[in-house]
Amino acid sequence: TRQEERYAFITEWYDPTSSLLQSFQLFYYPKDSSVEMFDMKKQQKFLKRIRYDTLDPKDLFVGNRVNVFSRQLNLIDYGDEYTARKVGSKKEKTLALIKPGEIIRLGEILEVIYASNLIVTKAKMTALTWNQAADFYAEHQSKPFFNNSVHFLSSGPVVAMELMGDEAVSVWKKFVSEAESALAQGDQDTQGGTDGPRHSGHGSDSLAAAAKELEFFFPSTIGYGPPNTATYTDCTCCIIKPHAVSEGLTGKILNSITDAGFEVSALQMFNLGRANAEEFFEVYKGVVSEYPGMVNELSSGPCMALEILDTNKEKSFRDFCGPADPEMSRLLRPNTLRALYGKDKVKNAVHCTDLPEDGVLEVEFFFKTLNR
């Protein structure tokens, strides 16, 4: 009989009780979405094969984190040749750069990214100085459009993202060029000509270019690349929770936020360890029964932190998020974020600052403390 298809990964898990890093082999069986785990140190089975529907096969690639029974596993290597060939060979990383003036469309763009089966693994809103923009475009220094391009790229905030997926370089490049031609059509209709450097997005030309450009925004060595755009004044904090990020709801949530007239002044993706999640939610400890679940959720995968300018006099951002319980939100305030995108009190799509005086503190926790 033919052997059943199985993917194998080497994973690491940080055990908070013993403060030790543990290594496991994780096996995934696509036929029935079941998982099995093997403790590599003790050389014994850790989890017998069991169906686990919440694991999305497209999240299984080296460098990602997955959650298996509330254990956050870092996938550090492929467990065998078959898995490396089948899963790893077409996976690529590329830089997606959303240029000034286009950030208002970030929600739509994220929806396209999700629909293209690409995953956002890093993201940051930043504002480049003239010199930084010139460094980024260094290879085009001799071209006639160089100065215009540098001027445009440094004229306002941009969002840089690392995209991961099958043939990510060409998939994203295709999207950018399609957006360009649509933009060019519009420009010709309105101005009778197109303006060369004002492209709405940028995509890496090749894997080598992608590696270099990602290093510019997200350095793997010491340093954090260009700084985030947090203002720490008149602001409130919103976190798009890991379950909503993995369900591909980030774009929809951002669209709802901007459609409601709120301005996102800073944005960054984070992978919180358990200790950081506990520290952030400390005010809820012993106060709400969901505290352990909230900590588990926030540390279960990547989340997107936003600084929202609290200048909307009509309504507060907290009201726009709705009651913490999505069921109640759907009954009382059906157009709020939690009513639209939440599942239960823990997986309620977003966290938002509860008390106005805590807004700056919560924003600082993400955009200052975690960026040290």
Side-chain angles (χ1 to χ4, degrees):
T1 56
R2 204 176 137 267
Q3 250 194 324
E4 186 185 353
E5 186 173 39
R6 177 186 88 169
Y7 297 147
F9 296 87
I10 309 291
T11 72
E12 281 183 344
W13 172 63
Y14 177 73
D15 179 0
T17 39
S18 66
S19 303
L20 291 172
L21 211 52
Q22 299 188 4
S23 301
F24 298 99
Q25 268 181 305
L26 171 71
F27 300 110
Y28 177 77
Y29 299 87
K31 186 179 150 197
D32 61 354
S33 308
S34 62
V35 293
E36 187 176 25
M37 281 168 72
F38 184 80
D39 186 323
M40 293 171 76
K41 190 176 175 208
K42 295 181 179 159
Q43 287 292 301
Q44 65 187 41
K45 196 169 281 190
F46 178 77
L47 172 73
K48 66 175 199 293
R49 185 171 169 179
I50 183 170
R51 195 182 168 109
Y52 192 64
D53 288 324
T54 52
L55 190 61
D56 190 334
K58 77 169 188 307
D59 293 338
L60 291 169
F61 57 84
V62 165
N64 202 19
R65 293 183 181 195
V66 294
N67 217 34
V68 177
F69 294 109
S70 72
R71 279 189 171 74
Q72 196 180 32
L73 305 174
N74 285 333
L75 305 181
I76 57 168
D77 203 356
Y78 297 108
D80 55 30
E81 266 309 298
Y82 175 78
T83 308
R85 206 172 57 243
K86 192 91 173 160
V87 178
S89 60
K90 295 194 322 210
K91 289 272 182 266
E92 296 176 351
K93 287 179 182 175
T94 192
L95 173 77
L97 187 61
I98 313 305
K99 295 190 183 174
E102 290 300 308
I103 288 182
I104 193 79
R105 290 182 51 232
L106 182 61
E108 290 167 45
I109 293 167
L110 284 165
E111 291 210 64
V112 171
I113 289 169
Y114 184 73
S116 312
N117 282 324
L118 297 177
I119 296 173
V120 179
T121 40
K122 291 174 185 166
K124 178 161 70 174
M125 189 186 285
T126 183
L128 299 179
T129 62
W130 171 276
N131 287 347
Q132 286 169 324
D135 279 351
F136 183 75
Y137 280 138
E139 65 195 86
H140 300 301
Q141 212 160 353
S142 57
K143 309 258 174 65
F145 59 77
F146 176 73
N147 274 349
N148 276 354
S149 296
V150 171
H151 176 74
F152 180 51
L153 194 61
S154 55
S155 67
V158 298
V159 172
M161 294 181 282
E162 177 184 88
L163 304 186
M164 173 95 181
D166 291 354
E167 291 153 6
V169 173
S170 58
V171 171
W172 173 249
K173 201 75 187 136
K174 182 168 178 271
F175 168 72
V176 171
S177 59
E178 282 169 3
E180 296 305 298
S181 54
L183 203 68
Q185 292 305 135
D187 275 4
Q188 273 158 344
D189 297 344
T190 52
Q191 303 159 357
T194 63
D195 178 2
R198 293 184 76 90
H199 296 323
S200 56
H202 166 87
S204 309
D205 285 325
S206 64
L207 278 173
K212 191 168 149 237
E213 292 172 353
L214 286 166
E215 193 61 33
F216 178 88
F217 284 101
F218 307 105
S220 52
T221 48
I222 301 298
Y224 285 95
N228 61 58
T229 51
T231 62
Y232 310 114
T233 42
D234 297 330
C235 60
T236 188
C237 180
C238 171
I239 297 154
I240 301 176
K241 294 189 172 183
H243 79 92
V245 171
S246 73
E247 287 162 37
L249 295 173
T250 313
K252 289 186 166 69
I253 291 171
L254 281 173
N255 280 338
S256 298
I257 290 171
T258 44
D259 289 349
F262 292 99
E263 189 187 334
V264 177
S265 46
L267 167 154
Q268 193 170 341
M269 201 165 212
F270 292 93
N271 269 303
L272 260 68
R274 203 180 165 81
N276 286 137
E278 282 175 353
E279 190 185 341
F280 182 72
F281 280 141
E282 192 148 28
V283 289
Y284 299 98
K285 193 176 183 175
V287 179
V288 296
S289 58
E290 288 81 31
Y291 170 78
M294 287 159 68
V295 169
N296 276 343
E297 168 59 28
L298 193 58
S299 58
S300 70
C303 66
M304 186 82 86
L306 313 172
E307 178 190 71
I308 309 276
L309 290 187
D310 214 356
T311 47
N312 189 325
K313 295 289 170 268
E314 270 38 326
K315 55 182 161 186
S316 78
F317 186 72
R318 183 170 177 259
D319 287 345
F320 174 62
C321 290
D325 182 352
E327 287 299 311
M328 202 180 308
S329 285
R330 283 189 272 276
L331 272 172
L332 306 174
R333 315 260 297 288
N335 293 324
T336 56
L337 288 180
R338 286 163 175 161
L340 294 169
Y341 309 112
K343 289 176 155 176
D344 56 43
K345 277 186 182 175
V346 167
K347 294 186 173 179
N348 57 1
V350 291
H351 161 83
C352 64
T353 309
D354 271 334
L355 303 168
E357 58 270 27
D358 290 344
V360 174
L361 286 172
E362 291 195 355
V363 169
E364 283 182 343
F365 179 83
F366 276 90
F367 292 93
K368 263 189 192 156
T369 311
L370 294 180
N371 267 313
R372 279 196 188 121

